Amino acid sequence: MSASRFIHVSLRGAMGALALALLPATVAAQTLNVGVAAEPTSVDPHFFRSGPNISLRENISDALVYNNQVNGEIEPRLATKWEVLDDSTWRFTLNPKAVFADGVPVAAADVIYSICRVRNVEGSPGAYISFVETIENVRPDGEGAVIVETQGPNPMLLQNLSAIGIVQSPSREPLAYDRENCGNSDWIATNLFNNATVRAGIGPYYVTEYRSGIQTVLERNPDYYGEAPYYERVVLHAIPENGSRIAALLSGRVDVIDAVPVNAIDQIADNPNLELISMPASRLIFFAFDQESEPTPKIRGTNGANPFKDVRVREAINLAVDRMQIVNTVMDGIAEPAASIVMSRVFGHNPDLEVLPYDPDRARQLLAEAGYPNGFDLTISAPNDRYRNDSEVAQAVTQMLAQVGLNVQLETLPQSVYFSRASNYEFSLFMGGASADSGEGLSQLLHLIHTRDSERGLGGSNRGRYSSEVVDRYLGEALVTLDEEARRKLLQQAQAEVYKDFGYLPLYHEVAVWAARSDIHFEPNAAQINILYTARPKN
């Protein structure tokens, strides 16, 4: 598919956002069927910081504020307004029209409970703790307001709070906030959200059925304080296999699909009854190195040594991979080769870093210098149902590494087991993805390259355990730096350090692509979230 044609399709998707404002606000009793490549692992809004879970949370559990990643603005949600009282004190006025399922308006007790609960979700494979790490205190302020105090200046507080869905506290009496358990030991269990015993908060929709591997059913919230969604019912069908997802769209079983595979772009673009909707996305697809375990679990032939602790080996792996070929062939041009972590359109991008060249000869030389002239045995790990073309990309990387003398095998696993195994450090070289889910590079970098610290919620996706005191210092300073240009420089310096360390194998930044019936408006966004509550017919 030509680049110009794809750009034309992107513009059609962008025009849909303008058309939304012109549509009538009538509410119809209809069902929207959506085929999703990756399903949420839980209805619990605080359980797992992953794309599918964040996507579901956005539709069922409002936060205090909304981070609009189309226009970059922070907008009111459960809080109608906010005031900065001083560098570390914020006051949020709550919306009295926002009520839970029992008709009780949201209160400070619910905000405190929710922020406390983030640190206390049992079995969470990827916690939200980094979003609340700098919060020192949360307390009521009269009727209908809450005060949030931070440890120091926090330029990202609003973006961070936009990720925390507010659930109803079991008690109307506010907890006394602390940075551990807030004096509480009895938290709402995740399974109560999953079986619809407890709603996940206040949102345009609420979940009535969650069947893992099959579907998630959402019903319109009749008491929602904001604009009512058009569709009364939304069904998210779990369809991880690309061909099956396309077939479901073509047959009319579903109205919208996400993660459109690149080999279906032309087919959909040529169909007058369908439309492609796209937007450059902030998600980086990468491979991480296990840089701590020794021996590392998926490597043999090194006498127990972990070769990825040697910067020469990490550089060799980076030079052995032809990013442009992967983008142009496997991804059919629907991606941008990555030099570093933060994409060019996101705050904190470092324009001085260049995409590493493909240099297999130098890669072989570096492996020999590191003591592996004949390579070593390596099993690469990747999911097969999480990212667009994930197993195909992993296969391409496997073949490229074999060309520089490594004896490489590939294992692919469903995401339902893949990420828990990655979190248990069972892999050596493994695929991952990370987005700027706050709309700024700081959260992405804290999650991916800060030294892993589960208590503070830092390095949540840093399963390879890359660690640099220099990087941690830059990111720590950025956390409390209000001046935008100074903060931008700190983020750029942190990425330059990782680049120098060859701390990751960055491949590309995705372009988010959905497909829908041509008579349906569906809104794209850089975070690749399925915004269900703005979907509606065009006529």
Side-chain angles (χ1 to χ4, degrees):
M1 182 176 186
S2 69
S4 61
R5 183 175 186 183
F6 188 70
I7 291 171
H8 172 69
V9 170
S10 299
L11 288 174
R12 288 170 64 192
M15 289 301 292
L18 176 61
L20 175 63
L22 304 177
L23 292 171
T26 57
V27 175
Q30 297 184 16
T31 297
L32 180 72
N33 289 285
V34 181
V36 297
E39 65 174 338
T41 59
S42 174
V43 180
D44 185 340
H46 309 143
F47 181 70
F48 186 21
R49 185 179 172 182
S50 72
N53 291 47
I54 292 169
S55 184
L56 179 62
R57 197 281 305 164
E58 173 57 34
N59 293 281
I60 64 172
S61 183
D62 282 358
L64 288 174
V65 297
Y66 173 62
N67 184 6
N68 188 326
Q69 295 201 37
V70 175
N71 61 24
E73 298 295 322
I74 300 294
E75 301 173 0
R77 277 299 186 266
L78 295 180
T80 57
K81 65 178 181 179
W82 48 91
E83 307 165 75
V84 181
L85 304 183
D86 58 46
D87 281 352
S88 59
T89 308
W90 298 63
R91 184 180 190 273
F92 295 85
T93 300
L94 303 177
N95 190 336
K97 296 180 181 179
V99 298
F100 291 100
D102 59 4
V104 175
V106 64
D110 306 304
V111 177
I112 298 169
Y113 180 88
S114 299
I115 294 176
C116 287
R117 186 177 181 273
V118 165
R119 297 180 181 273
N120 294 278
V121 179
E122 185 175 352
S124 169
Y128 284 73
I129 298 174
S130 64
F131 289 124
V132 301
E133 169 59 21
T134 66
I135 294 178
E136 185 65 29
N137 192 25
V138 189
R139 55 183 172 84
D141 187 45
E143 289 293 326
V146 63
I147 296 287
V148 177
E149 298 172 354
T150 58
Q151 293 175 325
N154 182 355
M156 295 296 296
L157 181 65
L158 292 177
Q159 288 88 342
N160 290 347
L161 290 176
S162 74
I164 307 301
I166 303 302
V167 302
Q168 187 171 22
S169 172
S171 171
R172 291 294 82 199
E173 191 65 30
L175 296 174
Y177 185 85
D178 62 39
R179 293 170 55 80
E180 295 181 2
N181 58 24
C182 303
N184 184 53
S185 60
D186 186 18
W187 301 98
I188 300 173
T190 292
N191 70 293
L192 296 181
F193 293 110
N194 292 344
N195 64 25
T197 299
V198 176
R199 287 195 192 177
I202 302 170
Y205 289 100
Y206 64 93
V207 172
T208 59
E209 179 185 328
Y210 171 70
R211 287 193 288 164
S212 180
I214 302 175
Q215 65 183 27
T216 304
V217 180
L218 288 69
E219 298 285 345
R220 188 169 61 211
N221 180 359
D223 301 317
Y224 188 57
Y225 63 96
E227 182 178 353
Y230 179 89
Y231 292 101
E232 183 176 90
R233 189 171 186 259
V234 178
V235 182
L236 303 178
H237 300 267
I239 314 177
E241 202 278 316
N242 286 339
S244 298
R245 203 162 58 259
I246 293 296
L249 180 67
L250 293 173
S251 69
R253 179 189 168 205
V254 300
D255 308 302
V256 180
I257 63 170
D258 64 9
V260 176
V262 295
N263 60 5
I265 295 289
D266 283 336
Q267 180 183 14
I268 294 172
D270 290 337
N271 190 321
N273 298 316
L274 301 175
E275 183 173 39
L276 289 165
I277 306 158
S278 67
M279 176 173 283
S282 64
R283 181 189 289 150
L284 170 73
I285 299 298
F286 61 87
F287 274 86
F289 304 99
D290 173 16
Q291 297 180 55
E292 183 163 315
S293 301
E294 199 157 35
T296 184
K298 298 291 183 179
I299 286 180
R300 298 290 182 270
T302 61
N303 295 319
N306 180 350
F308 293 147
K309 289 189 171 185
D310 190 323
V311 67
R312 293 171 296 184
V313 175
R314 299 196 301 272
E315 181 180 1
I317 298 295
N318 268 276
L319 296 178
V321 173
D322 189 340
R323 293 162 177 80
M324 284 303 303
Q325 181 179 337
I326 290 174
V327 166
N328 290 333
T329 59
V330 183
M331 299 304 294
D332 199 25
I334 316 301
E336 296 180 358
S340 188
I341 295 166
V342 179
M343 71 171 295
S344 59
R345 297 171 184 83
V346 173
F347 181 92
H349 168 70
N350 188 334
D352 296 331
L353 304 181
E354 297 181 353
V355 176
L356 289 168
Y358 174 54
D359 193 343
D361 292 335
R362 176 60 178 158
R364 294 185 194 95
Q365 180 182 350
L366 286 164
L367 288 170
E369 290 176 5
Y372 305 105
N374 300 314
F376 47 81
D377 298 340
L378 166 67
T379 297
I380 293 178
S381 307
N384 55 26
D385 61 356
R386 175 62 189 94
Y387 310 112
R388 186 181 297 115
N389 285 14
D390 44 16
S391 56
E392 292 87 347
V393 169
Q395 183 63 50
V397 171
T398 299
Q399 293 169 355
M400 291 172 183
L401 295 186
Q403 293 298 312
V404 299
L406 300 182
N407 181 20
V408 192
Q409 293 183 326
L410 171 65
E411 64 172 354
T412 63
L413 301 163
Q415 64 162 334
S416 58
V417 297
Y418 177 81
F419 288 103
S420 59
R421 290 187 60 183
S423 295
N424 289 332
Y425 311 126
E426 297 182 25
F427 303 143
S428 296
L429 182 64
F430 52 101
M431 179 182 282
S435 300
D437 48 12
S438 70
E440 180 174 321
L442 177 56
S443 67
Q444 187 176 21
L445 297 176
L446 287 170
H447 205 45
L448 192 58
I449 64 174
H450 194 285
T451 298
R452 197 165 171 87
D453 185 340
S454 58
E455 290 187 2
R456 298 177 62 200
L458 301 173
S461 287
N462 185 3
R463 298 179 177 94
R465 291 164 290 177
Y466 168 79
S467 182
S468 164
E469 291 183 1
V470 176
V471 168
D472 292 351
R473 185 175 70 250
Y474 286 141
L475 296 181
E477 290 180 28
L479 264 173
V480 296
T481 300
L482 296 177
D483 181 85
E484 284 200 353
E485 286 311 307
R487 189 165 75 255
R488 188 195 309 271
K489 184 177 181 180
L490 289 165
L491 301 185
Q492 292 172 342
Q493 289 173 315
Q495 289 173 91
E497 194 70 21
V498 178
Y499 186 88
K500 182 183 71 176
D501 290 342
F502 300 95
Y504 278 85
L505 170 59
L507 294 179
Y508 54 83
H509 289 100
E510 293 184 324
V511 172
V513 186
W514 293 261
R517 284 186 5 224
S518 57
D519 60 347
I520 290 178
H521 165 82
F522 196 83
E523 185 175 299
N525 64 92
Q528 302 191 65
I529 291 172
N530 290 325
I531 305 292
L532 306 173
Y533 51 84
T534 58
R536 63 189 65 205
K538 290 183 176 178
N539 297 316

